[in-house]
Amino acid sequence: MAIQGKKILICVSGGIAAYKINYLIRDFIKKGAEVQVLMTPSAENFVSKLTLSTLSKNPVFSDFYSENGTWNNHVEFALWADVILMAPCTANTLGKMVHGICDNLIIATYMSAKCPVFIAPAMDLDMYQHPSTKQNLELAEDFGHFIIPAETGELASGLVGQGRMAEPETISHTIQDFFSSGKNSKNLVGKTVLITAGPTYEAIDPVRFIGNHSSGKMGFSIAEEAAKRGAKVILISGPSTLQSNHSNIEIHRVTSAREMFDQVFNFYGNADIAIASAAVADYAPKEIAKEKIKKKEDELTIELIKNPDILKTMGERKTKQFLVGFALETQNEEENAKGKLNKKNLDMIVLNSLRDEGAGFKNDTNRIKIFTKSEEKEFPLKPKNEVAKDILNFVEEQILK
Ligand code: CTP
């Protein structure tokens, strides 16, 4: 269990969502974590110290001094923790965190900490949408903190919208994921990773299209893995049934290569790493019939025109991006892959081998070989989520050199 033995410091601030922390503590304790709770004085209006200390099996503090006059050392709390979780994090606490307004025990502890910090905001919908909250959340992300976004639903005010603290299970999973992704987990904090995934569909008429069998699994696996490592992920996906709920992943769904091209270049300028795993259709019908094409002659000719090469254009427009392409070849595999590395101005290419039964498009496994201009590395047949780790480990080695 990834959380077993981990020291989790929970800082509770004064919002109605504080009551949910009871369930979260119970979950962490059940999974074998050590939990220490600190709270703001106003949080005491929402949840009692007795409940929190009974569940966490530790005394709970809300002030720099205890009733008997002893000092509650915030530095010790901060150094003790493997991870700090600010939950619920009110607009007030968030503002204090990012602007260094250190007027209570939880902010003093937060500012003394060196460990990763997770923030689960909770507030009313207008407060959540306020430019100051948005800016403060962005600042917190720039500090390398992990935001567990508020969810949408009915709020304590009776209004309906985004602002409700993420459910305890979501928070617990996020922290568990963080620990299970190992010591590399923070390497992509502060990086924006742009990923293309899935097939593209090129319309012939209102009901038909030219497509391919790509499922999007490889691209979605890379997106999940990059998000776990702290990256902000922009995932541009062609038609795929896959979903992702990871808070670091922003999915933009497209249909055709043209649409994928346009979305990619909405985000490419800010990307630090771009990975093109989509199986983009090379050609599209020159004209899309307005009405369903009726069956008439024995032969039907559809004129096709070349689609833009998204990856090649990324190579041409490269400024700071570390650019990764994929190659799927049936002959002269390595020669063709290396050719694409140069032709498309890539930093790295991943060759998908079709030699194995279980590898490729529709399958859950893949066998890859990676090439850069000066290195190459072969990997055995693995599940796609493991392949995603190999790819990102290789990328990290290159960019952190
Ligand atoms: N690619 C792209 N845009 C296209 C075609 C391909 O971005 N219009 C990207 C794919 O996402 C992949 C890489 O280019 O990362 C190589 O795709 P592949 O189909 O193997 O190569 P092509 O360049 O299309 O060449 P060919 O089909 O002739 O092998």
Side-chain angles (χ1 to χ4, degrees):
M1 190 85 64
I3 270 180
Q4 173 94 38
K6 298 291 181 207
K7 300 188 181 93
I8 303 175
L9 178 66
I10 305 180
C11 294
V12 183
S13 49
I16 181 66
Y19 81 92
K20 290 190 193 170
I21 294 306
N22 296 334
Y23 301 96
L24 185 61
I25 296 171
R26 221 171 56 166
D27 184 66
F28 284 151
I29 294 284
K30 254 200 228 157
K31 288 176 176 153
E34 282 183 61
V35 177
Q36 170 67 60
V37 181
L38 303 178
M39 64 203 304
T40 60
S42 65
E44 291 187 63
N45 295 325
F46 297 93
V47 64
S48 90
K49 270 186 182 163
L50 182 61
T51 312
L52 294 171
S53 73
T54 309
L55 290 168
S56 66
K57 304 177 194 297
N58 269 316
V60 174
F61 305 99
S62 59
D63 208 342
F64 290 98
Y65 300 92
S66 290
E67 273 167 22
N68 61 6
T70 51
W71 182 43
N72 300 324
N73 188 343
H74 55 273
V75 180
E76 253 172 38
F77 290 130
L79 298 181
W80 169 86
D82 291 320
V83 73
I84 291 188
L85 169 66
M86 311 296 288
C89 185
T90 58
N92 185 36
T93 292
L94 177 66
K96 286 180 185 177
M97 285 169 68
V98 296
H99 296 291
I101 301 169
C102 192
D103 66 351
N104 65 34
L105 181 64
I106 72 166
I107 303 291
T109 306
Y110 155 76
M111 289 185 69
S112 314
K114 295 195 178 86
C115 64
V117 176
F118 287 76
I119 301 172
M123 58 199 81
D124 209 52
L125 79 166
D126 292 320
M127 294 172 82
Y128 198 65
Q129 291 307 329
H130 196 279
S132 74
T133 304
K134 286 187 171 168
Q135 220 170 53
N136 288 344
L137 284 171
E138 275 169 25
L139 273 177
E141 271 191 323
D142 289 347
F143 293 175
H145 301 339
F146 298 88
I147 312 296
I148 308 173
E151 292 175 1
T152 302
E154 194 175 330
L155 300 161
S157 60
L159 298 172
V160 176
Q162 193 179 11
R164 218 160 77 158
M165 189 179 79
E167 289 303 319
E169 305 90 80
T170 310
I171 299 177
S172 174
H173 280 147
T174 307
I175 291 185
Q176 223 165 310
D177 276 356
F178 170 78
F179 283 123
S180 61
S181 58
K183 67 175 170 43
N184 283 331
S185 54
K186 281 197 302 164
N187 280 353
L188 294 180
V189 166
K191 301 265 184 250
T192 299
V193 182
L194 174 67
I195 299 169
T196 67
T200 64
Y201 287 177
E202 312 299 329
I204 298 172
D205 67 16
V207 291
R208 303 182 181 93
F209 59 83
I210 298 172
N212 60 64
H213 290 302
S214 168
S215 62
K217 275 179 201 151
M218 196 62 251
F220 273 74
S221 298
I222 298 171
E224 289 286 334
E225 185 58 29
K228 276 185 198 167
R229 296 178 186 210
K232 175 178 178 199
V233 179
I234 309 286
L235 176 59
I236 316 287
S237 175
S240 164
T241 52
L242 299 176
Q243 306 278 347
S244 170
N245 294 320
H246 199 295
S247 55
N248 289 5
I249 303 178
E250 195 178 298
I251 305 185
H252 298 267
R253 300 209 183 248
V254 295
T255 305
S256 66
R258 251 283 145 214
E259 286 168 23
M260 186 173 276
F261 184 95
D262 291 343
Q263 277 292 23
V264 162
F265 290 102
N266 281 338
F267 298 99
Y268 185 60
N270 285 329
D272 300 294
I273 300 166
I275 304 177
S277 71
V280 185
D282 288 330
Y283 291 90
K286 192 171 178 187
E287 273 165 33
I288 305 172
K290 287 203 173 57
E291 306 296 339
K292 185 180 164 214
I293 299 172
K294 298 299 281 181
K295 179 167 55 185
K296 283 185 218 140
E297 312 299 328
D298 282 350
E299 286 183 16
L300 171 72
T301 305
I302 298 172
E303 210 180 329
L304 303 177
I305 50 162
K306 221 183 201 170
N307 269 330
D309 189 323
I310 303 167
L311 182 59
K312 187 157 178 276
T313 313
M314 285 199 261
E316 286 159 6
R317 298 187 191 175
K318 191 157 78 175
T319 50
K320 58 173 180 171
Q321 297 82 359
F322 185 87
L323 190 53
V324 182
F326 274 73
L328 183 71
E329 308 291 340
T330 52
Q331 50 188 352
N332 301 332
E333 289 187 317
E334 300 200 358
E335 201 183 308
N336 283 335
K338 284 186 205 160
K340 281 177 192 169
L341 181 75
N342 288 321
K343 204 174 76 191
K344 301 196 184 190
N345 191 24
L346 311 180
D347 297 289
M348 170 176 151
I349 192 152
V350 181
L351 171 64
N352 269 325
S353 176
L354 288 175
R355 273 177 293 157
D356 299 274
E357 276 262 313
F361 262 22
K362 283 186 283 184
N363 291 304
D364 287 330
T365 51
N366 230 353
R367 180 200 285 274
I368 58 159
K369 186 162 181 179
I370 294 179
F371 298 89
T372 65
K373 291 204 171 79
S374 55
E375 291 170 57
E376 53 181 75
K377 192 169 179 182
E378 202 164 357
F379 297 85
L381 185 72
K382 289 185 183 183
K384 284 184 176 166
N385 57 347
E386 293 297 318
V387 176
K389 287 182 190 164
D390 290 336
I391 292 172
L392 287 176
N393 287 343
F394 204 93
V395 170
E396 283 181 6
E397 274 168 32
Q398 302 294 315
I399 61 173
L400 302 173
K401 252 179 193 170

